[in-house]
Amino acid sequence: MNQVKTDEKYQLHVDQQKSFKQNSTPGDLTGCQLRNPTSSLPQGVAGPSAHSSQKLIEDALQKRELRLMKNREAARECRRKKKEYVRCLENRVAVLENQNKTLIEELRALKDIYRHKVE
DNA sequence: CGGACATAACGTCATTTTCG
DNA sequence: CGAAAATGACGTTATGTCCG
């Protein structure tokens, strides 16, 4: 339904970014696999009560899971849109190549006609 | 058959962009 | 301006193909 709309949006993004950003400091592992998954969570400090701090941790974990799930789906959608965008581009290339061929042929024919006339 | 290589799809993290 | 969404980058996994 919103095909064109999303494509336009994607185009905007791509135009803007130019992707000259490979200096994202590969120095430190940007890898994902085994980072402490709870690193951004409240530490298990000896708090007011073991129960409430435990609940904090559980809440944070739940929040994280929700965020990961949303991002997972966003990534899927993003890839889908990108593939669609690339397909559109490839299609456009094919169309333009055909147009180009036709025009070249037409020009050749016109030149032929002209040559016969002046002879 | 099985290992080496290529490719596609995925999940996660970091960063950028959008929107209220 | 901050939260949420979108996207780039990177590592992992699954699948297919080729070749010895």
Side-chain angles (χ1 to χ4, degrees):
Chain A
M1 310 294 185
N2 50 1
Q3 199 58 40
V4 179
K5 193 75 176 184
T6 55
D7 281 351
E8 280 173 359
K9 247 186 161 183
Y10 191 79
Q11 178 96 43
L12 268 182
H13 291 160
V14 172
D15 281 352
Q16 282 169 358
Q17 55 203 8
K18 321 271 189 185
S19 283
F20 288 149
K21 44 168 300 189
Q22 56 186 20
N23 28 340
S24 55
T25 60
D28 263 9
L29 50 138
T30 54
C32 44
Q33 212 50 7
L34 284 184
R35 284 185 182 159
N36 180 4
T38 60
S39 59
S40 62
L41 300 176
Q43 300 296 345
V45 281
S49 82
H51 285 70
S52 61
S53 65
Q54 182 63 25
K55 185 165 188 322
L56 276 182
I57 291 174
E58 279 176 15
D59 282 357
L61 271 175
Q62 202 170 346
K63 208 173 163 187
R64 179 176 192 275
E65 281 309 310
L66 185 65
R67 181 173 53 78
L68 287 182
M69 194 179 79
K70 279 186 175 180
N71 185 247
R72 201 178 301 140
E73 284 162 16
R76 273 196 219 113
E77 176 65 8
C78 185
R79 290 184 191 115
R80 191 194 62 75
K81 274 165 60 182
K82 188 170 184 176
K83 275 181 81 173
E84 176 67 22
Y85 173 64
V86 169
R87 260 197 296 271
C88 282
L89 282 185
E90 287 170 345
N91 196 45
R92 185 162 161 72
V93 166
V95 167
L96 290 176
E97 278 177 348
N98 275 336
Q99 274 184 11
N100 201 33
K101 252 187 222 164
T102 303
L103 289 172
I104 286 173
E105 183 54 36
E106 194 179 327
L107 179 62
R108 208 179 57 76
L110 288 173
K111 279 180 171 175
D112 245 28
I113 291 174
Y114 177 73
R115 193 177 318 126
H116 284 110
K117 271 200 164 164
V118 297
E119 279 172 1

